[in-house]
Amino acid sequence: MPLPNLSKYEKFQKVSNGRMRYYEAGSGSEHTLLLHGMGVVTSADTFQFVIEPLAKKLHVYALDYLGFGKSTRTLPQGPLFDVVVDGIREFMDAK
């Protein structure tokens, strides 16, 4: 199975500690936030095979946490849990 081309869904959101990359697909009032793990090689791309199927019925956001994927990678304090949670909170407030 070929990898889906998600570039048309790729966007960036400025938050206090940097810039978060995310995918946004679908529409409507049913919002779904896809959150990846905290492993070394994890990112929003973890969800590459489920974004489009979910977007048929839901408004989907798949985030790269700060310190992961294509979001700001260099953080003075590192990708601590507090920084990740604050980034997610700011992202959600902006949407």
Side-chain angles (χ1 to χ4, degrees):
M1 174 184 284
L3 296 177
N5 179 2
L6 300 178
S7 62
K8 62 187 168 195
Y9 305 118
E10 185 178 55
K11 298 179 180 180
F12 291 86
Q13 175 70 46
K14 177 84 175 95
V15 293
S16 295
N17 289 308
R19 188 173 83 139
M20 293 180 72
R21 192 251 325 226
Y22 66 100
Y23 294 123
E24 181 178 5
S27 61
S29 61
E30 297 285 332
H31 297 268
T32 299
L33 189 61
L34 302 176
L35 303 173
H36 63 74
M38 297 288 283
V40 175
V41 294
T42 189
S43 71
D45 294 323
T46 301
F47 304 106
Q48 62 190 333
F49 293 108
V50 300
I51 291 172
E52 290 181 319
L54 288 173
K56 290 178 182 174
K57 295 187 177 192
L58 303 167
H59 191 155
V60 178
Y61 298 96
L63 309 181
D64 274 346
Y65 305 150
L66 291 169
F68 293 85
K70 292 183 182 176
S71 289
T72 299
R73 297 286 300 222
T74 306
L75 302 167
Q77 64 277 38
L80 301 172
F81 193 71
D82 298 14
V83 174
V84 169
V85 170
D86 287 345
I88 294 168
R89 185 178 304 116
E90 281 187 60
F91 175 86
M92 291 171 59
D93 287 345
K95 299 296 162 197

